[in-house]
Amino acid sequence: MARSLAEAVMLLHFAVLAFLLVGGYLAWRWRWVIYPHLALGAWAVLSILTPTVCPLTTWENDLRAMAGLPVLETGFIDHYIDGVWYPESASTLVQLVLGSIVIVSWIGFYAGHRAARRLSRC
């Protein structure tokens, strides 16, 4: 059971990362989505700039330990993504590209929100 739960947390972690990437674009349609997306974006910046451990990683490690599996020696991204989906040497470039995608979504959200406000005044 603990192994299945650890795998579920891993999938949840991937879903959170996917939301981090596309959540700003979802907010173009559903405006309320911007608030959890901004909070997650702040968490992402904090985790990059400081040695912060994600609670989902801690949770997965606890479940892996309970299942008798080895824990993640590095963080979630270092274990499942860096060096797996792209070379580790490209980490900074990938972070910049993904960060740019998120920032573009926020700019688009802001521009759309401003245009909607301008139209509602007419």
Side-chain angles (χ1 to χ4, degrees), residues 14-28:
F14 274 113
V16 166
L17 289 177
F19 178 70
L20 178 60
L21 188 60
V22 301
Y25 298 100
L26 294 174
W28 293 9

Side-chain angles (χ1 to χ4, degrees), residues 13-52:
H13 214 152
F14 274 113
V16 166
L17 289 177
F19 178 70
L20 178 60
L21 188 60
V22 301
Y25 298 100
L26 294 174
W28 293 9
R29 172 70 173 97
W30 300 288
R31 295 210 173 276
W32 64 270
V33 171
I34 198 66
Y35 299 110
H37 191 260
L38 287 170
L40 186 58
W43 173 260
V45 170
L46 178 70
S47 69
I48 289 170
L49 298 178
T50 65
T52 306

Side-chain angles (χ1 to χ4, degrees), residues 60-84:
E60 180 182 350
N61 274 338
D62 290 347
L63 290 166
R64 289 174 68 86
M66 286 177 14
L69 299 170
V71 298
L72 306 180
E73 295 295 324
T74 58
F76 178 86
I77 291 174
D78 291 336
H79 183 81
Y80 291 110
I81 299 174
D82 278 354
V84 177

